[in-house]
Amino acid sequence: MSFLVEENPAKHRFEILVDDALAGFTAYLPRGEVLVFTHTEVDDRFQNMGVGSALIRGTLDQIRERGGRIVVKCPFMGAFIQRHPDYADLVIPEP
């Protein structure tokens, strides 16, 4: 099973493809250089397979690579960052 995380700026979200099928996304609102993450969704067919975690990890890695910062309003992303505090440096308080 192969995972690919890509940003879809037109839809304001990062998407995960599993073997070339859209399996989920994490949505954001752009606020200048900051992305406010509001919701993460994984298709029922891909539940309990690590797809959500792979999506968030891939998203945060891409944001880190480009020097971005985030605000977290999505509970799933917030829980992921709590379990993986090495991503906490990307988070800023809500303005």
Side-chain angles (χ1 to χ4, degrees):
M1 181 168 24
S2 68
F3 296 147
L4 175 64
V5 176
E6 295 182 311
E7 185 173 11
N8 183 337
K11 292 188 176 183
H12 299 290
R13 67 190 197 179
F14 284 79
E15 300 172 339
I16 188 165
L17 302 175
V18 176
D19 297 332
D20 298 321
L22 179 63
F25 64 88
T26 186
Y28 63 82
L29 300 170
R31 297 287 181 257
E33 297 298 312
V34 175
L35 300 181
V36 180
F37 282 88
T38 58
H39 179 72
T40 299
E41 192 171 308
V42 173
D43 187 282
D44 290 342
R45 296 174 296 147
F46 299 98
Q47 294 286 329
N48 303 311
M49 297 171 63
V51 172
S53 292
L55 168 61
I56 299 302
R57 185 179 309 280
T59 297
L60 295 175
D61 287 345
Q62 289 180 44
I63 291 168
R64 174 171 280 143
E65 286 174 17
R66 65 186 189 206
R69 303 294 296 269
I70 64 171
V71 171
V72 180
K73 289 189 170 187
C74 168
F76 184 84
M77 181 177 277
F80 179 90
I81 292 171
Q82 282 186 332
R83 287 190 315 274
H84 302 90
D86 47 311
Y87 290 106
D89 63 303
L90 299 175
V91 179
I92 62 171
E94 188 173 350

